[in-house]
Amino acid sequence: MAGTIARVTDELISPILRGLNLELVHIEFVKEGKNHYLRVFIDSPEGVDLDTCAQVSEKLSAALDEQDPIKESYFLEVSSAGAERPLNNSQDYVNSVGKNVHVTTYEPFNGSKVFEGKLVDANENQVVIAIKDKTRVEQITLPVEKIASGRLAVVF
């Protein structure tokens, strides 16, 4: 059911986001305790502020009320994907070249399952991460199908 709700929400929000030059990062419909939450994460190259989230929330809420795809009562939350936004597909990686990333793999690759460094290159088949190990930098090439999860990483 959550998959159907995410699909319908995606169909409803896509024209809203296109009109505002925003990107859909992720949709989730979850039950936490007694409450259901429909969470929508958005982004843009310039970032997303509270006013933008409110504007998208109002428009999406009206579209959801009209279509009424969710039978339970729920809370709608529209927010920025944040500084450590998830990387959900190969296009997200391509768009993030030059940024710091944190990537985990399903199984060990070169003795590790966690890789953090600068994303040097990416395409639909692989990502290349420059990992600093003390004073040297090593480039690791990971096949996309081996990646369990990825996100942007903030370096302090």
Side-chain angles (χ1 to χ4, degrees):
M1 179 165 127
T4 302
I5 291 169
R7 184 182 44 74
V8 170
T9 303
D10 187 358
E11 291 170 5
L12 293 172
I13 200 169
S14 290
I16 295 167
L17 296 180
R18 265 194 310 277
L20 298 169
N21 293 319
L22 297 169
E23 169 193 0
L24 176 63
V25 175
H26 183 67
I27 297 172
E28 65 182 22
F29 184 69
V30 295
K31 183 175 182 184
E32 294 176 358
K34 295 179 181 179
N35 298 315
H36 287 85
Y37 295 87
L38 176 59
R39 294 189 176 116
V40 179
F41 299 92
I42 59 175
D43 203 3
S44 81
E46 299 80 33
V48 175
D49 61 16
L50 189 58
D51 290 338
T52 303
C53 291
Q55 183 179 15
V56 171
S57 180
E58 288 174 19
K59 291 180 179 199
L60 178 58
S61 182
L64 286 164
D65 287 347
E66 185 178 312
Q67 191 95 343
D68 199 23
I70 304 171
K71 301 308 172 204
E72 302 89 349
S73 61
Y74 64 94
F75 294 97
L76 173 62
E77 297 177 353
V78 176
S79 62
S80 165
E84 292 193 337
R85 70 166 276 181
L87 302 172
N88 296 317
N89 55 52
S90 58
Q91 189 59 50
D92 286 348
Y93 285 94
V94 169
N95 293 342
S96 299
V97 168
K99 297 179 180 175
N100 289 304
V101 295
H102 177 94
V103 175
T104 61
T105 56
Y106 290 111
E107 55 194 40
F109 190 85
N110 287 357
S112 182
K113 290 177 70 173
V114 178
F115 303 90
E116 191 161 302
K118 185 169 284 219
L119 185 61
V120 177
D121 192 22
N123 60 45
E124 66 229 17
N125 300 316
Q126 64 187 24
V127 299
V128 180
I129 304 170
I131 298 173
K132 189 172 183 178
D133 182 23
K134 295 181 184 165
T135 59
R136 65 184 181 95
V137 175
E138 177 184 359
Q139 288 193 359
I140 302 289
T141 301
L142 298 172
V144 169
E145 69 268 6
K146 303 269 188 202
I147 296 174
S149 68
R151 62 174 169 76
L152 294 181
V154 175
V155 177
F156 295 98

